[in-house]
Amino acid sequence: MTTAQPLCSWPEATRLAALDRYGILDTPTEAAFDAIVRLLADLFDAPIAAVNLIAGNRQWFKAEIGLGVRQMPLDDSICKFALLEDSVMVVPDTTCDTRFACNPLVTGQPGLRFYAGALLRTPEGIPLGTLCILDLRPRPEGITVQQRLALRTLGDQVMTLMELRRAEHERHTAEQALRRTRAELDETRNTARALRNRLDALLAAAPVGISYADRDGKLVLCNDELERLWGDYPRSSNVAEYADWKGWWADHSERHGRPVAPEEWAQARALRGERADGDVIEIEPFDTPGRRRTVILRAAPVLGPNGDIAGSVTAVMDITNQVHTESTAQAWRARLEAILEAGEIGTWVLDLRTGKVHADANVAAMFSVAPGLDPGGAPLDAYLQAIHPDDVDTVRGSLERAVAAREPHQVVHRVLARDGAVRTVNARGRVEVDESGTPVRMAGVVFDISRQAAAEADLRNSESARRAGEQRYRTVLESIDVGFCIIEMMFDAAGEPCDYRMLEVNPAFVRHTGLVDAAGKTIRELVPTHDIRWSRIYGRVAKTGLPVRIEQYTANLGRWLDVYAARLGDADSRQVAIFLRDVTEERARSETLRDLADNLAEANRRQSEFLATLAHELRNPLAPVRTGLDLLRIGADKPDVLARVRPMMERQVNHLVHLVDDLLDLARINSGKVELKKAVVPLKDVVLRAIEMTLPVIEAKRHDFHVDVGDEPLAVHADATRLSQVIGNLLTNAAKYTPEGGSVGLGVRRAGNRVRIEVADSGIGIPKAALPRIFDMFTQVGRHPEQESGGLGIGLHLVRQMTELHGGSVRADSAGPGKGSTFVVELPLATGAQPAAQHTDDGAGRATAGLRILVADDNADAAELLRELLARHGHTVDVVGNGHAALEAAARVNPDVALLDIGMPGLNGHDVARRLRAQPGTRATRLVALSGWGTDADRARSADAGFDCHLTKPVELQALLDIVAGRR
């Protein structure tokens, strides 16, 4: 064995880098390497042979026989020790070598006993691995000289193959680098071309004139806006030729009005390395002599690759209109200042440390503060108290901001004089600070602008409207979401536009068109059914160079588009820049607003009719009531007058209660608070109750009334009261809208598992056009001012709502005006249940005399009438007007019954009831609530407070007597 060479001469990083340059690791097997391994195994009659490369923490086999694997952990490697040898390492018996005696490949499977390996080294001498053979039997004799030579020679062959592979790897890597360089060059060219296209589009769309001059001052590029500003613009070849340009300084400096010299133009100064930022100049366009424009010029030098100045870029903005507007505004400001100087002006100083105001006589007079009372000044609140209440917060806030932010105080507000007159003043002030920066005082002026305010009102309004319009316009322009794309037109053999390709789109284009991933595709690829009209429009723009603005519906995209298109480049260009936006929602909103306005107008008309009808319906019963009261006052001692007037007044009061009940029912239904007390009830009883309620109206009109309810017992699951109200409303309508002596009919029939209730009349009928809305709220059909008892227009609406709450339906039919009407209500029949038993109170009508009753109501008239009524029925009645008096009276008399108004001042009825229930002496008293509110929630609150009953005003006499007697 040869003497080992120290490894430190070849650091591991250097060795691995050298191995990596061959590009051989983890590559597939190759026939040349496999042939060498087979030859080596045959020469040495060895079962195992391999080309082994040491790579990091593993040994990898480029070719192998007998191993069956391509790599092994380096820790088990025998070959790694060969790297320490000079050429060939031979181990006759591994069990006798201390380096390998404990190696798991020796002690275990496969049981390696012999090893011989030739070192594989680079031309620089860097060891990479070995060409080795292994045997499962020891070879004490080692290998012969000829075998050693053969092993070394075959190892050199392996290195030769690796060198060839290295050369091929380097050639392949170079070719890949060349291809990448070419691809990057192509990409750079495409990017440059795209940037040039974008630059052309930006120059064409830019609202400012842009030019580029080379280092000599020659103008080599300018956009359309610059051509528009200058007219027939001379393409000057150098700075000296700038003398042809006509310009005058307009910056209000000492040079204002002086002609601009050639070397003073922004382009020339930028070529000298200066930066021209905001030169204000008046120019005279070449195509309009004598007419000037005011522009702002900005220029900057363009540096070359070496940092020297290669040219300059100049931007020109037309501000002619802004200057004219500013001049007009300055003229108005001058006039306003002249008016203010002629007005009343006062001065003031606010000491921020003491809060005192030192003011002259004019200010004191304006604010009605007596001057000179306090040499140290008057408190600030004395002045704030004189300011109009609606303006105090504004003035105070302006003062606080001025102190906190060191900003000027300026506010226009109103001042109330002692005589009630209102002044309008303009207050201005500025904060003063001490040497440490702390605010110490605010000094200012106040001038009375009351006279000027009236004179300037129209001017301010018009100027504010104009400014608001301009602000809205600027805001829309700055925040508009506009789609943009550049297209390339495609023409057929006849020169007609047939398609176009999307070259570039912005994100807003996708939102406005819905076309995703459009760049690089033709419109027919995106929309196969594309409307050819768009291609013709854009083709005309590309051919003529004339821009176009159009708003049109695109059926393929399903939206309205507002489009502006302009050609990019010269006459040979086929590229078109397009700005577009989706206006579909705007058009839809316009249609919606028109429909909404029509609906609101209709609702307003119907509401006005309802209010007029309500006033009429309330006056009708109130008129006879008032007349009846007059008759009672005149003939109170005449029984015949009382006999005639009292029934009439009862009828009119009942009519008023009915109107109010209908309105309350409508409110409950619309708010979803109506509660039905359903039970299985005989339909015949419901119908008879409705007839009983409406028969007086029918008989009063002397109608022929016929009823057919059949013999079959029918039951429905319903609220009997509400269902009677439905049928009663239909019968009442039939009676009212049928001329005297007409015919009214009511029929009830089974229709399968439903029941049909039909009300027919020979009355005024209903026009066909009015039938679809006959059940709408406030609908009045055929109403005339002279018509008696026209109603509020809510009865049929209540009929439909109540019917639907019972799971039924209602419809109306009529052959036309004068031919009568028919209303049909259909309801589901009750199944599997018996009608609820009808209970009667045998004690109804019996009075209970001798009770002690307490009446508490802040309405003295109502309380006194109740006292008189109950006293006439034999009861002892005490009357009080508020809650506290009720508690005192109850403690004194211990009443059997207490009638308490809920809405009493101080202590309401609920509070009184709770306290009475808490007192031993009144714990058993029967408490009755009196209220104008009668919903289920109101009754529940009364029950929670301790009331036994809840009566809704106006109270029916019999109901009151029944409750007092304990029958309800």
Side-chain angles (χ1 to χ4, degrees):
M1 296 180 62
T2 60
T3 305
Q5 180 177 321
L7 284 177
C8 59
S9 61
W10 297 107
E12 182 65 8
T14 302
R15 196 184 67 78
L16 292 176
L19 179 60
D20 187 59
R21 285 196 293 272
Y22 286 89
I24 194 171
L25 286 175
D26 299 316
T27 60
T29 59
E30 298 180 31
F33 289 96
D34 291 343
I36 292 174
V37 170
R38 283 196 300 272
L39 177 60
L40 181 64
D42 291 341
L43 287 175
F44 283 84
D45 190 23
I48 300 173
V51 175
N52 180 23
L53 298 175
I54 305 301
N57 59 355
R58 62 174 177 152
Q59 53 182 352
W60 182 79
F61 309 118
K62 175 62 180 173
E64 57 84 20
I65 290 177
L67 290 175
V69 296
R70 295 296 303 275
Q71 67 179 15
M72 288 185 179
L74 186 61
D75 291 342
D76 300 336
S77 174
I78 297 176
C79 291
K80 67 182 178 181
F81 291 94
L83 299 185
L84 303 175
E85 300 294 333
D86 182 54
S87 176
V88 176
M89 184 181 82
V90 178
V91 183
D93 189 347
T94 56
T95 59
C96 297
D97 192 318
T98 58
R99 294 175 297 176
F100 312 118
C102 296
N103 191 301
L105 297 178
V106 174
T107 58
Q109 290 297 325
L112 301 177
R113 297 294 299 276
F114 172 77
Y115 173 87
L119 188 63
L120 301 178
R121 289 189 296 189
T122 68
E124 297 83 8
I126 302 174
L128 303 179
T130 64
L131 173 66
C132 64
I133 61 169
L134 297 103
D135 199 346
L136 303 181
R137 294 178 292 104
R139 297 187 182 186
E141 70 282 2
I143 60 176
T144 67
V145 174
Q146 290 80 3
Q147 288 177 324
R148 182 183 294 269
L149 178 60
L151 180 60
R152 179 68 266 170
T153 301
L154 290 176
D156 292 341
Q157 265 319 99
V158 171
M159 282 307 303
T160 300
L161 288 175
M162 290 181 62
E163 288 297 329
L164 290 174
R165 203 181 193 292
R166 172 183 175 182
E168 177 64 21
H169 176 68
E170 291 177 348
R171 184 190 64 79
H172 179 69
T173 302
E175 289 180 352
Q176 285 184 328
L178 179 59
R179 283 195 294 271
R180 285 196 299 271
T181 301
R182 288 175 178 171
E184 291 172 357
L185 180 58
D186 291 341
E187 183 178 358
T188 302
R189 288 172 179 167
N190 293 334
T191 301
R193 188 178 299 110
L195 289 174
R196 178 54 189 249
N197 291 338
R198 292 193 187 98
L199 177 60
D200 291 342
L202 289 174
L203 288 176
V208 298
I210 299 175
S211 66
Y212 174 74
D214 63 14
R215 70 180 66 203
D216 297 324
K218 179 181 179 180
L219 297 183
V220 295
L221 175 67
C222 63
N223 67 346
D224 295 342
E225 177 65 11
L226 194 65
E227 294 279 1
R228 185 189 70 80
L229 290 175
W230 277 104
D232 186 12
Y233 194 56
R235 301 300 179 94
S236 303
S237 299
N238 52 58
V239 173
E241 293 183 5
Y242 293 177
D244 295 334
W245 303 351
K246 297 180 180 180
W248 298 265
W249 292 103
D251 56 1
H252 299 286
S253 67
E254 58 186 16
R255 61 187 179 183
H256 185 87
R258 180 171 61 78
V260 181
E263 67 278 3
E264 290 180 319
W265 286 97
Q267 292 94 325
R269 287 155 50 208
L271 290 174
R272 297 197 298 270
E274 303 175 17
R275 185 178 181 88
D277 190 7
D279 292 352
V280 181
I281 295 175
E282 284 187 342
I283 65 172
E284 183 179 294
F286 291 89
D287 57 348
T288 55
R291 183 178 179 182
R292 296 186 179 185
R293 292 180 179 274
T294 305
V295 298
I296 293 179
L297 288 86
R298 292 181 172 86
V302 178
L303 302 180
N306 300 325
D308 55 341
I309 297 176
S312 67
V313 173
T314 306
V316 183
M317 179 180 291
D318 187 356
I319 61 170
T320 305
N321 293 335
Q322 292 93 318
V323 170
H324 176 72
T325 301
E326 185 176 352
S327 299
T328 303
Q330 288 176 349
W332 279 111
R333 282 196 295 270
R335 295 178 192 174
L336 180 59
E337 289 174 0
I339 294 173
L340 295 177
E341 289 175 1
E344 299 177 355
I345 301 176
T347 62
W348 54 270
V349 175
L350 170 61
D351 189 331
L352 298 176
R353 293 168 296 190
T354 64
K356 296 293 187 69
V357 176
H358 302 267
D360 61 15
N362 285 342
V363 173
M366 291 180 194
F367 286 82
S368 302
V369 176
L373 293 180
D374 186 352
L380 177 61
D381 287 343
Y383 289 88
L384 294 177
Q385 289 173 359
I387 297 175
H388 193 285
D390 293 342
D391 298 342
V392 171
D393 290 341
T394 301
V395 175
R396 194 186 297 275
S398 178
L399 290 171
E400 292 174 352
R401 286 193 302 272
V403 174
R406 312 292 197 274
E407 64 182 30
H409 163 64
Q410 182 173 348
V411 62
V412 175
H413 61 86
R414 292 162 293 176
V415 177
L416 301 177
R418 290 177 179 173
D419 59 359
V422 179
R423 296 174 181 264
T424 301
V425 301
N426 190 337
R428 298 181 180 181
R430 189 174 296 275
V431 174
E432 298 178 5
V433 299
D434 59 15
E435 54 277 2
S436 64
T438 302
V440 293
R441 70 182 63 84
M442 182 185 296
V445 296
V446 176
F447 42 96
D448 188 345
I449 61 171
S450 300
R451 291 188 296 271
Q452 292 92 323
E456 296 167 4
D458 293 339
L459 175 62
R460 285 201 307 273
N461 291 338
S462 61
E463 181 68 11
S464 297
R466 183 187 66 80
R467 290 179 179 176
E470 291 179 354
Q471 182 62 35
R472 285 193 297 270
Y473 182 70
R474 285 194 296 271
T475 301
V476 169
L477 287 182
E478 293 171 359
S479 62
I480 191 170
D481 177 17
V482 179
F484 171 75
C485 68
I486 298 177
I487 65 172
E488 184 174 40
M489 292 304 306
M490 304 168 67
F491 298 90
D492 58 19
E496 293 297 323
C498 58
D499 202 350
Y500 54 85
R501 186 177 302 280
M502 301 286 182
L503 300 181
E504 182 179 352
V505 301
N506 71 341
F509 178 86
V510 178
R511 294 193 296 273
H512 286 283
T513 65
L515 300 178
V516 182
D517 297 331
K521 299 178 183 176
T522 67
I523 190 63
R524 291 198 178 278
E525 290 175 336
L526 296 168
V527 185
T529 59
H530 171 64
D531 190 346
I532 193 63
R533 289 181 299 171
W534 289 104
S535 295
R536 292 170 181 164
I537 293 171
Y538 299 149
R540 187 162 54 250
V541 172
K543 286 184 175 182
T544 65
L546 297 176
V548 66
R549 177 74 175 270
I550 186 171
E551 182 176 307
Q552 188 167 307
Y553 181 75
T554 60
N556 308 110
L557 301 179
R559 62 189 73 194
W560 283 86
L561 293 180
D562 180 9
V563 179
Y564 175 80
R567 185 177 68 193
L568 294 178
D570 53 22
D572 295 332
S573 174
R574 291 295 178 261
Q575 293 186 4
V576 178
I578 301 173
F579 295 86
L580 56 86
R581 64 190 185 94
D582 184 355
V583 295
T584 307
E585 292 186 1
E586 294 178 14
R587 296 176 68 92
R589 281 196 295 269
S590 298
E591 295 294 335
T592 301
L593 287 175
R594 282 194 293 271
D595 294 342
L596 182 59
D598 294 342
N599 293 337
L600 289 175
E602 174 64 16
N604 185 58
R605 181 191 64 78
R606 291 172 61 184
Q607 182 183 24
S608 299
E609 290 181 356
F610 168 72
L611 293 175
T613 303
L614 177 60
H616 174 267
E617 291 299 319
L618 290 176
R619 290 191 185 102
N620 278 346
L622 287 175
V625 169
R626 181 163 186 169
T627 302
L629 290 173
D630 292 337
L631 286 172
L632 289 177
R633 185 175 63 254
I634 296 171
D637 56 344
K638 299 178 180 179
D640 58 333
V641 172
L642 182 61
R644 289 195 310 273
V645 170
R646 186 176 60 80
M648 177 273 296
M649 294 181 68
E650 287 179 352
R651 287 194 303 273
Q652 299 305 324
V653 170
N654 289 336
H655 181 54
L656 279 173
V657 171
H658 179 71
L659 288 177
V660 174
D661 287 344
D662 279 353
L663 290 173
L664 290 175
D665 284 342
L666 180 63
R668 294 189 190 103
I669 292 174
N670 289 339
S671 61
K673 295 181 178 179
V674 66
E675 296 183 10
L676 300 181
K677 300 177 181 178
K678 290 185 177 182
V680 177
V681 295
L683 183 59
K684 183 177 292 186
D685 292 351
V686 175
V687 171
L688 293 177
R689 182 175 179 181
I691 293 173
E692 180 183 355
M693 290 189 300
T694 57
L695 193 58
V697 179
I698 297 173
E699 292 177 344
K701 298 288 290 285
R702 294 198 292 275
H703 292 317
D704 179 15
F705 182 43
H706 49 92
V707 180
D708 181 7
V709 297
D711 298 328
E712 182 180 3
L714 302 175
V716 291
H717 187 250
D719 185 324
T721 301
R722 295 298 187 183
L723 190 54
S724 297
Q725 182 182 355
V726 169
I727 301 172
N729 277 358
L730 293 178
L731 289 172
T732 300
N733 265 17
K736 287 196 302 183
Y737 292 101
T738 299
E740 187 171 337
S743 174
V744 176
L746 171 63
V748 178
R749 286 291 182 273
R750 173 193 283 271
N753 60 350
R754 299 174 71 84
V755 63
R756 181 177 300 162
I757 304 169
E758 182 177 300
V759 176
D761 63 65
S762 60
I764 64 175
I766 304 171
K768 290 291 185 183
L771 284 173
R773 53 186 176 86
I774 191 66
F775 293 102
D776 291 349
M777 196 184 306
F778 310 143
T779 296
Q780 297 275 328
V781 177
R783 179 176 178 84
H784 302 285
E786 66 274 10
Q787 183 179 318
E788 181 183 357
S789 300
L792 297 178
I794 62 176
L796 290 180
H797 180 71
L798 287 174
V799 167
R800 183 176 66 182
Q801 297 292 86
M802 288 295 184
T803 302
E804 291 176 351
L805 287 175
H806 282 84
S809 63
V810 61
R811 68 178 185 273
D813 191 19
S814 175
K819 297 182 180 180
S821 305
T822 300
F823 289 82
V824 178
V825 174
E826 288 192 2
L827 295 169
L829 288 170
T831 58
Q834 295 298 320
Q838 301 297 312
H839 298 285
T840 59
D841 187 356
D842 295 338
R846 295 199 305 265
T848 301
L851 296 178
R852 188 80 183 214
I853 301 176
L854 174 63
V855 176
D857 196 332
D858 58 324
N859 187 328
D861 292 339
E864 183 58 30
L865 288 174
L866 274 179
R867 187 199 65 75
E868 180 68 24
L869 184 64
L870 294 170
R872 289 181 175 272
H873 284 77
H875 302 295
T876 302
V877 184
D878 295 279
V879 176
V880 295
N882 58 66
H884 292 288
L887 291 175
E888 295 175 0
R892 186 176 63 253
V893 302
N894 288 331
D896 301 302
V897 180
L899 306 177
L900 305 178
D901 178 39
I902 296 300
M904 291 185 292
L907 203 62
N908 62 39
H910 290 148
D911 295 334
V912 173
R914 292 187 184 94
R915 298 193 184 186
L916 290 178
R917 286 292 184 229
Q919 299 297 325
T922 55
R923 191 168 296 160
T925 299
R926 186 171 179 80
L927 302 182
V928 181
L930 301 178
S931 174
W933 304 97
T935 66
D936 292 339
D938 297 320
R939 298 178 185 277
R941 281 193 293 271
S942 296
D944 291 342
F947 282 102
D948 297 293
C949 299
H950 182 105
L951 291 178
T952 304
K953 297 179 180 179
V955 179
E956 295 182 6
L957 174 60
Q958 190 56 50
L960 177 62
L961 294 177
D962 289 345
I963 287 175
V964 168
R967 291 190 293 270
R968 290 181 57 181

